[in-house]
Structure formats: C-alpha cells, structure tokens
Amino acid sequence: MSTPMEMFVKEMQKLFQPDEVYVMNGSQEEVEKITEIAQKSEVDGRIVLKKLNGQEYPNSYYHRSNPNDVARTEHLTFVCTPTKEQAGPNNNWVDPKEAKEKMDYLFKGAMKGRTMYVIPFVMGTPKSKYAKNGVQVTDSLYVALSMRVMSRVGKQAIERIGTSYDFFRGIHSIGDVNPNRRFIMHFPQDNLVMSFGSGYGGNALLGKKCYSLRIGSYLGYQEGWLAEHMIIIGVEAPDGKITYFLGAFPSACGKTNLAMLDPVFKGYRVWTLGDDIAWINVGEDGQLYAINPEAGFFGVAAGTGFKTNPNMMKTLKNSKFFPTLFTNTAVDNSNNTPWWEGVSDEVPSDLTDWQGRKYDKNSGTPAAHPNSRFTVSIYNCPTLSPEIDNPKGVPISGIIFGGRRKSTIPLVYEAKDWNSGVFAASIIGSETTAAASGQVGTVRRDPMAMLPFCGYNMGEYFNHWLNIGERAKKLPKIFMVNWFRKDEDGKFMWPGYRENSRIIKWMIDRIEGKTGVKESEIGLFPQEGAIDLSGLDIKKETMDKLLSVDKEDWKKEVLMIEEFYAKFGDKIPKDLRDYLKELKEKIGV
Ligand code: GTP
Ligand code: SPV
Ligand code: MN
C-alpha cells in the first residue's frame, strides 16, 4: 500500500513525465550533492549556481534568473475559490475547474528530460502543534535548494505526514520561463497550489507566500488563527525584560531590517524570530502567540550594508550548514563576491551586472536588480532568539503596522484599542516597490500589508481580525509607523534603520504604562519629549511635522480609503465603516 504522499508523487510523475524522480531527505550530503549538480547544470541558458569567494562569503553561490522573472507577478496570481465573491475584489479569480484544466495542459510532459524533485517540508518548528506539512514537486534545482534553506525539509516532514492525507500540495514547474505561460493558481479549498513558468521566490517557493500566507490565511480563517506578513522580534531592555512585537510592512518596506535591528541605546537588543511571515494563535492564557513558519530569510539585497543592517551582513558571512544563494545581484570580478548598491560606497571597477553584462558606472542604471535577493538560513543570524524553536511561539505585546509613504502618514501613532487598531491597519496605503512587477512608487491600499497575500475576501478577513480580538483576553497594543516621510527636497525626514529603535523604546514605555499620549484625529501621539532623541541631530520642526496630522493630506487620504472600502460593499464589517465615518467627520470631509 502506498501512502497518500507516495500516491501524490506517482500522480505527479505521470503528469510531468520526468526522466528521474528524487525525494529529498534533508541530509547534509544531499544539500552538497544538489549544489554540485546545480553548478554543472544549465537552465534557460544559464548556469544555475556559481561558487562565490568562500573567504568573503562562505558556502555562497550566485544565481542569475531570466530578466523577465525577477519579482512576484501579482497579475498572474489567482485565487480559485468556488465563487468569485469568496476570493474577493482583492484577488484575481478563475473558476477552479477551468484553472486546473489550464494548468494540467501546461504541466503535461513539462519535465521530460528533467529531474522532478520532491520536497516534503514542514512550515514551523516540527514539534509545534501549530506547524503544518506540505509536499512540493519542482523541476528547478534553485527552487529545491531554496526550499531546503527556507523550510524544514526531508525526513521529519515525511514522518509528520505519515499516512495522512492532510498536507499541502505544491505543484511547480519552471516550464520555459515564458511570461505568457506563467500562472500561480491557488486552491484554498483543496490545500493546493499550481505554479508554472517562474522560478522567482514568491512565485515558486510554494511554502512561502503561496502556502504560508494565501492558503494559510484561509486555513486561519477556518480554524481561528491568523497568517500574517509580519516579522517577529523580542526587544530586550537593560533590565533583561523581553517584549515581543509583530511588525507588518508591505514588500520591500523594511521588515528584514527591523527584524535584526541594532538599537542605538546601550543595554537594549533585538532578538530575531522572523522577518516575513508569522502564524498567530490565541494561547491558552488568552494572549496572542506567534511562530515563524519559515527557517530562512529571502531578503532584499539592494540597500543592505554594514551601515544599514550589520546583523544581516554578519548572517550572510556566517553560512555554515546550508548554502547561501545570491540572486540577480552584480558580481565584483576582482574578488568574485556578490555586489549590490548599498553594500559599499565605492562602486568596484570591474563589475558584471545582474544581467551578465559588463557594468558601466555611467549608465545611470543600477548594477544589481533593485529586487536582487539573498536566500540564507535563519540559524546563521547572530541575533537569533533562543525561542526560535519554542513550539508554543512567543507571547506578543505589541503589533507595529507600517507602509512606505512620502507624505500624510506620521512617523508613529498608537491606536486606542484593538478595534480601532484593526481599522487603522485596514486603511494602510503604501507605495509599490520592486518586489512585485509593475510600476514602482504608486500609492495603493495595502491593508495589514496583506493585499497581495490574503487568500480570501478581505472584508471577511477584517471581520476575522475583529473576532480574534473578541476571543483573546490580553491583547497587544497596536502602533502605526512610517519611516519613509520625505521633505520638499525629496530627502527622508527620519533617519530610519537603527534609529527606529527610538520609536520601539517609546512603544515599550507605552506597553508598560510609563508614558502618556496626546489625542489626535487619527489616534494617539507621543507626548512632547517622550521619544528619546538623545544624540540624534534632528530639528524640532521636523519632529513636529513627523508627529502631526495634515488635514489637507488626510482629506485626500480619506477619499482613497472610501474608494477602497466601497469595492467590498457590506463585506466590510459595520464597525470599520463606522470608524471611517467618524474619521471623515474629524478630518472635515
Ligand atoms: P520583503 O522581503 O519584500 O517582504 O521586504 P522587507 O519588508 O523585508 O524590506 P527590507 O527590510 O528588505 O527593506 C527594503 C528596502 O527598504 C531596503 O532597500 C532597505 O534598505 C530599505 N529600508 C529598510 N528600513 C528602512 C528605514 O528605516 N528607512 C529607510 N529610508 N529605508 C529603509
Ligand atoms: C515579498 O515580496 O514580500 C517577499 C519576497 O518577501 S517573495 O518571497 O517573493 O514574496
Ligand atoms: Mn515579504
């Protein structure tokens, strides 16, 4: 008798007709073998992996993708629920039957001449009751290795699945990397994702956004928990007390940086638990507890350096067991190291750019793709929290929501309570970034930083958030931040990065009830002088501007919010519609 997992593999073999099938066991030898093969294999006309300078970057490899395949493709991503309304206006929708027929047609025989890698994986630390199992098949060596770094792959997953039918199925083929034949189809009711034509992170590592967020959010809705686009950190104060925070920011808006923040204050430190995804449950004591389903970072290289994020640089130079992959950065030929804008002030003279061409400094274009990324194990991180494998997760005292906005949104404010925090998070807008294909820099609504990742109707998702608030006994405080305000000259008004620890310190004071607040039209502001700015050269006028409500800006904002809410009709909970009405009155619209 075959197990359900074996039956799935046989079915996939029949569909894809690969020359060989390899089931990953997660061993060290296996990682080395796959890395070896990848250095000898060409896919889509490029060598899959090239070894980098092991002195500078131990155990590290370089990968260049097809230039048409460098970011998530939201317009090719679908949620295939039985009805369009279930997917909601926040998702592209196709009828599930039609979607499966289309994908079966693309998949048929697609692995002829290739090896099919079977990746049994666990999202979350395997001992946790909150962890979940999946099996992905893929014909991409890069995807197989990346999954090995980003999740717990192999024997432990096979054992956990055992004879159960209850596991996520991820079906992936890189196909011929043709954007006209590229689809990422989600079937929440079937715990299934089908992805064709892309090898890029969020499109192809199906345990990540596809399962842990889109399918995960739907499972959470059914089962009473939350799957969120959030970091998890513990902030230790000089007295040794650790306060745990979640932080939601849209793609390429500062999560990884905040997740391993090096605070400016003596005696404070940040413990890293996750930089992208959190699964949040109501614990037995009525508090919210979070686990990180992932085991690695798939982080933005551009802008990462010893000045901005020293702990990530140390992580990248500390690769022990698993290989670290650099994708679509440039390469400094003088010493065979990966290079990107921000890693050094000087641009090296002999660079090959992300497309494999000799780089011309005067070209006016960056050498590394703005969405160039690294894939690295979380266990390399020097600030890794000792709680990382705690099966219960960590108890959350604060949730930070942010976006990337040059205007309108203050540096920080606090929501009065859970429900007004849910409202504040539901109205977030953010400028689009290079993490998804399409125009960069246009403001769109991105509630809870989940617009591209919520696997069901967002109106119902908001309601689910309100329900969690009713079920929990001890709720975290909710804060809104914006690190990205700019002045008339287009310069950032707030220094950001490490200096963000000043805001976090204030949040801890608030959680501990040590400081009061000032009421405003949109929420609660810090009292005069409550943010510790010692040693920081910032003008009082700048701080005043960063911590105020510009009514003219907010009038425009409210109209955008109203337009967004209107798309969902009465799916938006009445409470939230009432908050919007109240906000309009206060702003004077
Ligand atoms: P995803 O992996 O796409 O989900 O992105 P992320 O949210 O983890 O973003 P990340 O931390 O990688 O930052 C993205 C970009 O924002 C990088 O270029 C950073 O250098 C920049 N950035 C991060 N934090 C700050 C900040 O506080 N201020 C400013 N000005 N830029 C920041
Ligand atoms: C994001 O885009 O939010 C990422 C990278 O974290 S991806 O895995 O592609 O989603
Ligand atoms: Mn992300």
Side-chain angles (χ1 to χ4, degrees), residues 72 200 208-209 229 231 249-259 275-276 298-305 308-309 341 370-371 373-374 404 433 435 453 483-484 492 494-500:
R72 281 183 296 104
Y200 174 76
K208 197 173 172 51
K209 294 308 202 315
H229 192 203
I231 69 165
F249 298 77
S251 302
C253 292
K255 284 185 302 302
T256 303
N257 278 269
L258 192 62
D275 84 323
D276 201 49
F298 180 60
V300 179
T304 305
T308 54
N309 193 353
E341 279 69 22
N371 193 40
R373 296 219 171 217
F374 44 75
R404 181 185 285 268
T433 66
F453 306 119
W483 314 139
F484 300 94
F492 285 115
W494 175 251
Y497 300 102
R498 298 186 69 197
E499 308 295 341
N500 296 335

Side-chain angles (χ1 to χ4, degrees), residues 74-377:
E74 294 178 1
H75 61 295
L76 305 173
T77 301
F78 294 81
V79 170
C80 311
T81 39
T83 67
K84 189 169 163 41
E85 195 190 34
Q86 284 169 292
N90 48 301
N91 283 302
N92 300 313
W93 178 85
V94 209
D95 176 74
K97 189 163 165 279
E98 203 181 302
K100 282 179 188 165
E101 275 166 13
K102 187 176 209 146
M103 296 310 279
D104 275 347
Y105 171 78
L106 294 170
F107 284 155
K108 209 168 179 181
M111 295 189 191
K112 277 185 191 153
R114 302 180 184 177
T115 298
M116 180 171 90
Y117 290 86
V118 179
I119 315 165
F121 64 91
V122 187
M123 297 313 291
T125 189
K127 277 199 291 262
S128 174
K129 67 173 178 188
Y130 304 131
K132 291 190 178 283
N133 308 323
V135 179
Q136 174 171 351
V137 298
T138 183
D139 50 8
S140 161
L141 283 154
Y142 170 78
V143 167
L145 259 184
S146 301
M147 280 292 289
R148 178 67 186 86
V149 177
M150 295 301 296
S151 66
R152 280 96 173 167
V153 165
K155 266 206 190 122
Q156 42 191 349
I158 299 173
E159 276 162 21
R160 256 179 141 260
I161 294 169
T163 56
S164 167
Y165 282 90
D166 181 21
F167 59 91
F168 163 77
R169 289 158 172 79
I171 309 178
H172 173 252
S173 167
I174 190 161
D176 51 1
V177 207
N178 177 350
N180 297 320
R181 288 152 50 84
R182 177 176 298 159
F183 297 100
I184 302 99
M185 303 277 202
H186 300 69
F187 305 89
Q189 278 74 9
D190 301 327
N191 205 4
L192 168 73
V193 171
M194 297 180 169
S195 165
F196 189 82
S198 168
Y200 174 76
N203 291 342
L205 315 181
L206 302 186
K208 197 173 172 51
K209 294 308 202 315
C210 298
Y211 180 53
S212 290
L213 286 182
R214 293 197 195 91
I215 302 286
S217 61
Y218 174 78
L219 294 175
Y221 178 49
Q222 303 293 305
E223 300 167 3
W225 53 281
L226 292 165
E228 296 296 327
H229 192 203
M230 287 178 174
I231 69 165
I232 313 171
I233 53 173
V235 185
E236 185 172 332
D239 61 5
K241 187 162 179 231
I242 301 176
T243 308
Y244 291 98
F245 286 90
L246 296 169
F249 298 77
S251 302
C253 292
K255 284 185 302 302
T256 303
N257 278 269
L258 192 62
M260 50 197 74
L261 182 80
D262 180 20
V264 295
F265 302 108
K266 245 197 169 154
Y268 280 82
R269 62 173 301 174
V270 165
W271 294 102
T272 308
L273 289 116
D275 84 323
D276 201 49
I277 301 177
W279 284 354
I280 309 155
N281 283 272
V282 182
E284 277 160 25
D285 58 359
Q287 239 193 301
L288 299 189
Y289 283 79
I291 65 158
N292 177 8
E294 301 192 278
F297 306 125
F298 180 60
V300 179
T304 305
F306 273 104
K307 270 189 220 147
T308 54
N309 193 353
N311 288 320
M312 183 50 93
M313 291 307 294
K314 287 181 199 156
T315 305
L316 295 174
K317 287 174 174 278
N318 186 31
S319 206
K320 284 174 270 192
F321 308 113
F322 309 120
T324 294
L325 312 179
F326 291 87
T327 304
N328 296 333
T329 62
V331 174
D332 180 349
N333 297 311
S334 72
N335 59 1
N336 190 31
T337 54
W339 191 87
W340 54 86
E341 279 69 22
V343 74
S344 65
D345 292 337
E346 241 350 66
V347 182
S349 55
D350 184 10
L351 274 185
T352 299
D353 77 2
W354 67 276
Q355 295 188 69
R357 304 170 303 198
K358 186 166 170 47
Y359 181 61
D360 171 10
K361 269 190 206 188
N362 304 317
S363 65
T365 57
H369 189 275
N371 193 40
S372 53
R373 296 219 171 217
F374 44 75
T375 314
V376 64
S377 168

